[in-house]
Amino acid sequence: DGGITQSPKYLFRKEGQNVTLSCEQNLNHDAMYWYRQDPGQGLRLIYYSQIVNDFQKGDIAEGYSVSREKKESFPLTVTSAQKNPTAFYLCASSDLQGARVNEQFFGPGTRLTVL
Amino acid sequence: GQSLEQPSEVTAVEGAIVQINCTYQTSGFYGLSWYQQHDGGAPTFLSYNALDGLEETGRFSSFLSRSDSYGYLLLQELQMKDSASYFCAPMDSNYQLIWGAGTKLIIKP
């Protein structure tokens, strides 16, 4: 079955440590996205990538970094510079070439808690 | 600028019909999507309107008026499993979805 996987589901880190969240998709989608969601809030775009080896900052990129070395993978690093990293992180992908360009497919999310 | 307005919370009774309204302002506009998110879960796609009018998918329908920058999601024959947050998400000229805080739908038996 095609889909998006994120690991781990829950992650705990000490303040000041960098942490990398994994996102893999086997949908052959060109575009991938990272969102952050805080309790009771909507999704805020951190970074997105529409092609391998290229990515763009979203609305809240400060304190985060990404890479897109392969079409299938879009890992997100939460650095120690991110002042309030505890949140629910969602990865998504979409097919920019197909008829369903409007539809984003989401992974199950990673809940990061910084102690 | 960009803005999005939805009610923060709507309450309805099982078996009833509920409408969730959405008004938006974006820089460029391709269409309006609706997503459902259960507590602790990921958003899932419900519907998309590129043109004015009503799109029906089973118990759910979505409407768009481009001239009014307005849309709504209509849920019929409400079931307890429909309790979730619903997000309208307009797509701007860069193919980016604009997300608001969503509408929490509470269904009572």
Side-chain angles (χ1 to χ4, degrees), chain B residues 46-104:
Chain B
L46 289 177
S47 67
Y48 175 72
N49 294 68
L51 303 175
D52 286 357
L54 193 68
E55 294 280 343
E56 297 181 61
T57 309
R59 294 187 297 115
F60 293 3
S61 304
S62 57
F63 171 83
L64 175 66
S65 168
R66 295 175 72 104
S67 60
D68 294 324
S69 297
Y70 165 77
Y72 66 72
L73 180 70
L74 190 74
L75 296 84
Q76 303 182 72
E77 301 172 19
L78 285 171
Q79 301 175 10
M80 296 304 292
K81 67 179 182 179
D82 297 329
S83 294
S85 291
Y86 292 85
F87 295 88
C88 69
M91 177 173 280
D92 69 15
S93 52
N94 293 318
Y95 294 111
Q96 299 306 315
L97 293 178
I98 311 301
W99 298 84
T103 297
K104 183 172 180 132

Side-chain angles (χ1 to χ4, degrees), chain A residues 33 35 37 41-43 45 48 50 88 90 101-104 106-107 111, chain B residues 33 35 37 40-43 45 48 87 91 94-97 99-101:
Chain A
Y33 311 82
Y35 292 97
Q37 187 175 34
Q41 303 298 313
L43 280 64
L45 184 64
Y48 67 98
Q50 295 183 332
F88 187 41
L90 287 156
V101 64
N102 49 285
E103 184 175 349
Q104 291 189 6
F106 286 83
R111 201 166 293 277
Chain B
S33 297
Y35 286 77
Q37 185 181 29
F45 175 81
Y48 175 72
F87 295 88
M91 177 173 280
N94 293 318
Y95 294 111
Q96 299 306 315
L97 293 178
W99 298 84

Side-chain angles (χ1 to χ4, degrees), chain A residues 22-39:
Chain A
S22 164
C23 178
E24 304 278 332
Q25 55 100 357
N26 60 4
L27 300 166
N28 199 33
H29 285 171
D30 295 304
M32 296 186 75
Y33 311 82
W34 273 106
Y35 292 97
R36 169 185 173 135
Q37 187 175 34
D38 293 289

Side-chain angles (χ1 to χ4, degrees), chain A:
Chain A
D1 284 340
I4 301 178
T5 57
Q6 290 185 245
S7 60
K9 190 171 176 64
Y10 297 95
L11 190 55
F12 297 88
R13 279 294 181 266
K14 290 185 178 179
E15 196 172 338
Q17 290 182 333
N18 291 357
V19 60
T20 297
L21 280 58
S22 164
C23 178
E24 304 278 332
Q25 55 100 357
N26 60 4
L27 300 166
N28 199 33
H29 285 171
D30 295 304
M32 296 186 75
Y33 311 82
W34 273 106
Y35 292 97
R36 169 185 173 135
Q37 187 175 34
D38 293 289
Q41 303 298 313
L43 280 64
R44 291 188 289 169
L45 184 64
I46 304 172
Y47 269 98
Y48 67 98
S49 168
Q50 295 183 332
I51 194 169
V52 173
N53 291 322
D54 187 51
F55 46 83
Q56 308 297 327
K57 291 182 179 180
D59 301 319
I60 56 164
E62 185 175 349
Y64 300 98
S65 66
V66 292
S67 63
R68 187 88 186 275
E69 296 176 1
K70 299 186 299 182
K71 189 175 186 178
E72 305 78 21
S73 178
F74 191 41
L76 173 75
T77 297
V78 184
T79 75
S80 56
Q82 168 49 235
K83 295 191 186 331
N84 186 18
T86 294
F88 187 41
Y89 290 88
L90 287 156
C91 179
S93 71
S94 66
D95 181 6
L96 297 181
Q97 307 298 326
R100 298 170 73 178
V101 64
N102 49 285
E103 184 175 349
Q104 291 189 6
F105 294 79
F106 286 83
T110 292
R111 201 166 293 277
L112 173 65
T113 302
V114 176
L115 307 170

